[in-house]
Amino acid sequence: MTHSTKPATPTTPPTPAPPADDAARHNLFVARQPIFDRHRKVVAYELLFRAGTHNAFAHADGSQATRQTVNTTLNVMGLQRLVGSHRAFVNVTRDLLLSDFCHVLPADQTVIELLEDITIDDAVVDACKRLKKAGYTLALDDIVLQPKSYRLLEIADLVKVDLMTTSLAESRTLMAEFGRPGLSFLAEKVETHEQFQQSVQLGYRYFQGYFFCKPEILSDRVIPASKQHYLMLLNEVTRPVIDFVTLEQAIRLEPDLSVKLLRFINASSHGIGETVSSIRQALTLLGEKALRQWGSLVVMTALGEDKPVEVVRTCLVRARFCELIGKQLAVKQSQFDLFLLGMLSMLDALLDQPLGVVLGPLPVNRHIKSALLGDSTPLAKVLMLALARERGEWQRLTVLAKLLRVDEPAIAQAYVDAVAWTDATVSGTAAGATD
């Protein structure tokens, strides 16, 4: 039975709030989680919002808090900066849906995601139809299958299914019963490569989860010779004192490295007023800080060539975030050490080898190794903070922020800056060295 609520009268789409001032940046608590297709290519990001610097709202109106956060995101940061050319999945409450607030978002780039606790009645169905007519894509999140749900299934474009609570057999039944042309299924909380492969075989079209961040350990896997060369480069640029002779030899082992190094230094702004034409000259002029940065970026990009590009993106966001947070902390490690901490945290996923095995021969600072291998240290807390921010685990983030004595607005801004820097770096528009 549906309620006899009178359908909401269509309203004029709300106008975005005027550009927010600097104080609004303190409300920029947004995380993004990638959504992949069957080829492990990123097609969208789900945006996770939190309003204010506390997990509890200052008032009971959660919808109003979300309005403020979305407006701040659009006016201060910009959707383009968060998701680039990809689509954005945005969760909405019943109140936001009925108020037509969603129309403030660009229809061609927004997927409106209805949460499972929304009561389905005539008003909700009519609001969804208005969104569809306006060109929005409609997704149902963990929908509870009951007679009322069928009304939305008839107009939805996508259904998200939680693999943690839905068995493979249930998935098969769900698709057989409700599958139709124009309706796609997204498997969320895909945690392993095996789950990903099984989901592909079942017919899921899209995938969300951290399987891309975890290694696919195979007992007989051997690291290819070319990747061994890049590991040698990483080995040299992470030494406490760089041996330029040995480093030059490592670069010469992989011809492409020489080209990348010369292109980098000739294109970057390091105050060099001459064209650089040799490896030795480049290494001498570049400087230790920029050299370490360049080497780390080149290595991680090369190691991730056969992985989803999101692996490299996530790796760089973590690295840059840790580095930026380091400026707020009273830690002895250099900012490069913190950059390396975030970057190396995904070395196992890039090489499909246990992290302890890959880290073994690298002359990385023992405090970094300890943090990466799970010891409870201040550096480990920095990495945990990065992971909490990345995944939108807001309560955990608040606890870690207090332990590290870093302001949450600074955390929010560091994440925004890390995402922007990473996108520029991956697209080749960044010089490569941090400030």
Side-chain angles (χ1 to χ4, degrees):
M1 295 288 291
T2 58
H3 296 295
S4 58
T5 307
K6 183 180 179 180
T9 302
T11 59
T12 302
T15 302
D21 56 22
D22 289 340
R25 295 178 181 273
H26 292 248
N27 292 322
L28 286 175
F29 291 86
V30 185
R32 66 178 194 178
Q33 292 183 357
I35 293 172
F36 300 87
D37 63 13
R38 294 173 182 174
H39 304 290
R40 299 190 300 176
K41 179 182 178 181
V42 175
V43 294
Y45 289 98
E46 179 174 355
L47 300 183
L48 305 175
F49 298 104
R50 192 190 86 188
T53 57
H54 301 285
N55 289 308
F57 294 125
H59 46 74
D61 189 354
S63 295
Q64 178 59 26
T66 301
R67 286 189 187 95
Q68 294 171 353
T69 307
V70 170
N71 271 330
T72 302
T73 300
L74 289 173
N75 291 305
V76 177
M77 186 191 312
L79 196 63
Q80 176 72 23
R81 193 174 181 187
L82 270 175
V83 301
S85 61
H86 302 298
R87 289 191 173 190
F89 278 60
V90 178
N91 297 317
V92 299
T93 63
R94 177 185 170 87
D95 289 344
L96 287 178
L97 182 67
L98 298 185
S99 70
D100 284 338
F101 173 78
C102 302
H103 291 259
V104 74
L105 297 161
D108 62 344
Q109 201 175 7
T110 306
V111 179
I112 303 299
E113 185 172 333
L114 273 62
L115 301 178
E116 66 273 17
D117 58 357
I118 290 180
T119 301
I120 301 173
D121 54 20
D122 289 344
V124 165
V125 173
D126 288 343
C128 289
K129 288 180 177 179
R130 290 196 296 275
L131 285 169
K132 290 278 293 180
K133 186 176 181 180
Y136 290 89
T137 300
L138 186 65
L140 307 181
D141 184 26
D142 296 333
I143 189 168
V144 178
L145 293 180
Q146 51 183 323
K148 292 181 181 179
S149 306
Y150 302 158
R151 301 179 67 191
L152 290 185
L153 282 167
E154 291 175 353
I155 60 176
D157 300 286
L158 189 145
V159 175
K160 298 182 73 173
V161 180
D162 186 343
L163 294 191
M164 298 296 287
T165 58
T166 306
S167 68
L168 295 178
E170 290 171 333
S171 292
R172 192 176 293 108
T173 300
L174 181 67
M175 291 182 180
E177 186 171 353
F178 298 102
R180 59 171 172 78
L183 180 65
S184 301
F185 290 85
L186 183 154
E188 59 178 344
K189 296 184 181 177
V190 183
E191 298 297 313
T192 67
H193 288 270
E194 183 180 11
Q195 282 183 318
F196 170 70
Q197 295 297 338
Q198 290 174 336
S199 299
V200 170
Q201 293 171 4
L202 277 174
Y204 281 101
R205 185 174 180 181
Y206 302 112
F207 312 86
Q208 185 175 6
Y210 293 103
F211 69 98
F212 70 97
C213 288
K214 295 182 178 181
E216 184 179 12
I217 304 297
L218 300 176
S219 59
D220 60 348
R221 183 177 294 279
V222 176
I223 299 176
S226 61
K227 290 192 175 184
Q228 291 281 10
H229 294 161
Y230 280 99
L231 284 176
M232 289 176 63
L233 173 62
L234 183 63
N235 187 72
E236 296 306 320
V237 298
T238 55
R239 291 187 184 280
V241 178
I242 293 180
D243 183 331
F244 285 86
V245 174
T246 306
L247 178 58
E248 181 181 4
Q249 293 173 348
I251 291 174
R252 289 185 182 280
L253 286 173
E254 192 66 33
D256 191 42
L257 279 174
S258 301
V259 176
K260 289 178 179 177
L261 174 61
L262 295 176
R263 282 178 179 172
F264 172 77
I265 195 167
N266 283 324
S268 60
S269 54
H270 294 290
I272 301 170
E274 58 182 298
T275 299
V276 179
S277 57
S278 71
I279 296 176
R280 179 64 61 86
Q281 183 185 14
L283 295 178
T284 302
L285 294 175
L286 193 55
E288 187 172 296
K289 177 182 176 182
L291 184 56
R292 291 184 190 277
Q293 193 85 65
W294 169 80
S296 301
L297 291 173
V298 167
V299 168
M300 290 304 172
T301 302
L303 296 183
E305 283 181 341
D306 57 347
K307 297 288 183 178
V309 68
E310 193 62 25
V311 176
V312 176
R313 286 184 181 275
T314 301
C315 186
L316 294 180
V317 170
R318 283 188 196 174
R320 180 63 165 162
F321 177 83
C322 289
E323 180 184 34
L324 293 173
I325 287 298
K327 297 179 180 180
Q328 311 291 327
L329 304 176
V331 295
K332 296 180 180 179
Q333 275 68 33
S334 68
Q335 288 177 24
F336 175 74
D337 283 342
L338 291 167
F339 183 90
L340 201 59
L341 172 71
M343 181 167 280
L344 294 180
S345 68
M346 292 186 67
L347 198 56
D348 55 346
L350 289 168
L351 293 173
D352 290 322
Q353 294 275 356
L355 195 56
V357 172
V358 180
L359 288 175
L362 296 179
V364 179
N365 182 302
R366 63 183 179 86
H367 297 291
I368 294 179
K369 278 190 178 181
S370 179
L372 289 170
L373 296 177
D375 291 344
S376 182
T377 64
L379 281 185
K381 291 181 176 62
V382 174
L383 181 57
M384 288 189 286
L385 181 72
L387 294 175
R389 191 65 185 76
E390 176 184 305
R391 298 175 180 179
E393 297 173 349
W394 306 125
Q395 292 183 349
R396 188 181 184 206
L397 182 143
T398 296
V399 171
L400 289 166
K402 290 180 179 178
L403 289 174
L404 290 167
R405 297 181 180 179
V406 59
D407 292 336
E408 290 198 43
I411 295 173
Q413 192 59 53
Y415 180 77
V416 171
D417 292 342
V419 169
W421 178 87
T422 295
D423 288 343
T425 300
V426 172
S427 65
T429 59
T434 56
D435 298 325

